[in-house]
Amino acid sequence: MTTDTVTPTAPAPTEYAHEHAPRLPLAERVPEFYRAMLQLERAAAKDVDPTLYHLIKIRASQVNHCAFCLDMHTKDALAEGETVERIVQLSAWRESRHFYTERELAALALTESVTLLTDGSVPDEVYAQAAAHFDETELARVIGAIVVINSWNRIAVSTRMAPGHYTPRSA
């Protein structure tokens, strides 16, 4: 009796869509502006809890559809110990409240309100909730962090920076 051996065929490699090229190397064209943004970033990050800062950056980047910043800030957060579960649930944080502290929830609500100013304002109740969890200096720093990530999102989206190539410093 003869037994034919059948070798399974390897699956064809997945072909992904073509990666777009960046539109404009902003940092090269206006290095003084880019350096000023980096300085602003350092000032905004000063004395803000790094875990909270990552959540603010990721949530604003989700709202702004900034793939480059999502790639960067999720990698940074993971490298610094954030859990995959909290990052995954962040886009649905209102339904996943139990993954976050009350302080983080207040900052997330404020992040969305400041990011979505097209809605007309930051509602008093959102501001009051944040003010209940942060003293005035902390609240000013959180607002600064939100403003800075929104600026970075607008730079990355308008210049079409490509995600996927970032490696965290702590990795």
Side-chain angles (χ1 to χ4, degrees), residues 23-167:
R23 286 182 175 150
L24 176 70
L26 187 130
E28 292 174 25
R29 297 292 178 251
V30 285
E32 64 282 356
F33 172 78
Y34 188 77
R35 283 191 302 273
M37 281 298 300
L38 291 173
Q39 229 177 331
L40 192 59
E41 172 77 29
R42 283 189 292 277
K46 186 179 190 294
D47 298 329
V48 177
D49 173 59
T51 300
L52 182 65
Y53 200 44
H54 287 305
L55 293 175
I56 290 168
K57 288 179 180 184
I58 294 167
R59 185 63 193 132
S61 298
Q62 288 172 335
V63 171
N64 288 322
H65 305 284
C66 183
F68 181 84
C69 291
L70 280 170
D71 178 57
M72 174 185 284
H73 301 306
T74 56
K75 286 176 179 176
D76 283 343
L78 289 166
E80 292 180 25
E82 185 57 87
T83 66
V84 170
E85 190 169 48
R86 280 173 35 107
I87 291 172
V88 168
Q89 292 300 319
L90 195 52
S91 65
W93 65 269
R94 282 184 178 82
E95 293 78 27
S96 303
R97 296 177 63 82
H98 59 285
F99 287 97
Y100 308 99
T101 67
E102 290 298 322
R103 185 175 166 99
E104 290 168 341
L105 292 168
L108 292 171
L110 186 61
T111 298
E112 286 187 7
S113 291
V114 172
T115 300
L116 297 171
L117 283 178
T118 54
D119 291 348
S121 68
V122 173
D124 290 339
E125 59 274 8
V126 170
Y127 188 87
Q129 186 67 24
H133 290 280
F134 299 94
D135 68 33
E136 284 189 350
T137 301
E138 291 171 322
L139 185 54
R141 292 194 181 283
V142 167
I143 291 170
I146 297 165
V147 168
V148 170
I149 189 56
N150 273 279
S151 296
W152 282 121
N153 289 163
R154 280 147 179 79
I155 290 167
V157 170
S158 63
T159 62
R160 200 182 279 167
M161 296 174 71
H165 305 285
Y166 177 77
T167 303

